[in-house]
Amino acid sequence: MRRAVSEMTQRVLVTGVGGQPGFDLARRLLELNCDVIATDADPLANGLLLPGVTPRLTPPVTAADYTSRLLGLCRETRPDALWSAVEAELPHLLDMSGALEKTGVRMWLPPRRAVQAGLDKAFFHQLLAAHNIPTPASWLPSQIDDVPDGVALVVKPRHGQGSKNVVFCSTRRQARMLCELVPDPILQTKLDGREFTADCVVDRDGRASVVLRYRLLTKGGLSMVSETFHDQQVHHRVIETLEAVQASGLCCVQGFLRDGGSGRVVITEMNARIAGGFMLAEAAGADLVGQTLAGLWGHPIDHGRLTYRPGVRLAKATTTLAVTEHSRLGQSAQPDTSVFLALQGRSDDDER
């Protein structure tokens, strides 16, 4: 009798294990009896020290030889599947999907439209505006004069993620100065309200399951305390957003829940990858990783296993993962008897 996907030992290469999404994904796959190849471009990435993984270094996604070296790594380690937790990799993986398939590596990638929506905040804003989905007003630096007087603003990298280089201001003069400091910036209206993330699995027929959670406490862009909730209007807006960007697979949508009015639910951004706080959705009963694995292997998604309980709260804390010593300087880039304290995740690689 054929075993269920969750009962099979699969060899999965996970990228970006130094960030919270990749770190927790590697841990969860280990719990599901997968053979995990944990990769990152940073030799100090904490996920490379997870017990039970096969650690490997990859080139930065900006490296000229990124594609050839990743293909070489796949030929060497022979994974059954590749699961990226680094959104900037997705355009490259789409380009090399044929070559990876020839090596026997499965992937479940979103279409380019969804990838671009996750990587380009200006494109995402235009897309949502075209579908009449409430989203913050946005301007590029050349459009600062169009910003109304008295509007509180947030200036952030157009192609960035996490809280890095995200700053707030209240005047156009301040915004002009910040646009000189923030790389490739975009300006948006600053929102008040309850911030939320939706963990989403969209099957290949376009049907989506959504898990909603409040971001109760964030530090450096990382959700430290979050809690699941149900809200039909938020759920509807998230579904509209997924349809607008043509999302597929496991992804996340973010927004704000405001007080009353037609603009009660405002969508701010989406990521075409697993979110940094997905473990709360799993703790609340949603089989996000297991069902995505099923879809990765071409099996139907069981949306009945993606329901969840509201009111489940998760708190994260920084901890020591490993302490290691290097006895000879010539064998390591680290000094003698260096102590390496690995924390649970880089905040700049979280879902924001």
Side-chain angles (χ1 to χ4, degrees):
M1 182 176 179
R2 185 176 180 179
R3 291 183 297 169
V5 173
S6 60
E7 296 173 344
M8 297 167 57
T9 299
Q10 304 150 339
R11 189 166 173 82
V12 183
L13 188 150
V14 178
T15 68
V17 297
Q20 192 69 60
F23 183 91
D24 281 342
L25 175 58
R27 288 200 305 179
R28 182 65 182 131
L29 289 171
L30 287 172
E31 292 172 355
L32 292 174
N33 198 35
C34 289
D35 185 2
V36 177
I37 305 163
T39 72
D40 202 279
D42 185 354
L44 298 182
N46 49 7
L48 299 175
L49 297 177
L50 279 169
V53 304
T54 300
R56 289 290 188 275
L57 286 177
T58 57
V61 69
T62 54
D65 60 350
Y66 168 83
T67 298
S68 61
R69 288 175 62 186
L70 183 59
L71 280 170
L73 178 62
C74 288
R75 293 189 182 106
E76 173 200 345
T77 58
R78 301 182 65 81
D80 299 312
L82 187 154
W83 194 331
S84 174
V86 181
E87 201 157 20
E89 294 177 336
L90 296 180
H92 301 277
L93 294 176
L94 283 168
D95 290 339
M96 57 192 296
S97 59
L100 284 168
E101 186 177 355
K102 290 179 181 178
T103 67
V105 179
R106 298 170 180 264
M107 293 189 295
W108 186 2
L109 298 175
R112 290 189 186 275
R113 178 178 172 128
V115 171
Q116 185 180 359
L119 291 172
D120 186 340
K121 293 177 176 61
F123 176 74
F124 183 68
H125 167 76
Q126 294 169 1
L127 199 57
L128 264 59
H131 286 78
N132 296 314
I133 299 172
T135 191
S138 300
W139 302 269
L140 295 176
S142 61
Q143 301 169 314
I144 289 181
D145 289 338
D146 297 333
V147 178
D149 292 330
V151 174
L153 297 169
V154 54
V155 182
K156 61 178 73 172
R158 174 176 175 176
H159 302 285
Q161 63 182 31
S163 63
K164 187 176 181 181
N165 293 316
V166 175
V167 287
F168 299 96
C169 62
S170 56
T171 68
R172 286 194 295 265
R173 179 172 175 272
Q174 293 172 342
R176 286 192 179 91
M177 290 188 293
L178 291 172
C179 284
E180 296 294 323
L181 301 174
V182 175
D184 193 13
I186 186 172
L187 300 88
Q188 296 181 331
T189 51
K190 181 180 180 294
L191 298 178
D192 296 317
R194 303 192 74 176
E195 190 175 7
F196 68 85
T197 293
D199 296 295
C200 313
V201 178
V202 186
D203 65 26
R204 287 183 170 84
D205 294 324
R207 180 183 175 187
S209 286
V210 172
V211 179
L212 302 176
R213 51 186 169 87
Y214 290 122
R215 293 162 60 91
L216 300 179
L217 175 64
T218 61
K219 293 183 179 180
L222 178 65
S223 294
M224 300 302 292
V225 182
S226 50
E227 182 177 316
T228 54
F229 70 101
H230 285 162
D231 186 293
Q232 191 58 41
Q233 190 176 0
V234 177
H235 182 276
H236 177 69
R237 288 296 185 206
V238 170
I239 294 294
E240 286 185 326
T241 302
L242 296 172
E243 292 174 348
V245 303
Q246 298 176 357
S248 181
L250 181 53
C251 58
C252 65
V253 174
Q254 288 182 259
F256 280 81
L257 185 57
R258 310 179 76 189
D259 292 333
S262 58
R264 177 173 174 264
V265 183
V266 182
I267 303 298
T268 54
E269 60 186 274
M270 66 88 62
N271 298 116
R273 56 156 172 83
I274 192 170
F278 79 90
M279 291 298 291
L280 173 57
E282 296 245 330
D287 183 27
L288 292 180
V289 175
Q291 292 307 305
T292 305
L293 274 178
L296 183 57
W297 257 259
H299 297 285
I301 300 298
D302 183 354
H303 289 275
R305 297 189 61 187
L306 290 168
T307 59
Y308 68 101
R309 304 183 306 279
V312 179
R313 182 173 293 188
L314 181 144
K316 287 181 175 289
T318 302
T319 187
T320 301
L321 173 65
V323 178
T324 60
E325 292 188 1
H326 299 278
S327 59
R328 296 178 61 187
L329 184 60
Q331 294 179 349
S332 172
Q334 302 293 321
D336 285 340
T337 65
S338 63
V339 176
F340 178 61
L341 300 180
L343 306 182
Q344 280 194 352
R346 290 192 301 251
S347 61
D348 59 323
D349 281 334
D350 188 43
E351 62 213 25
R352 294 190 69 172

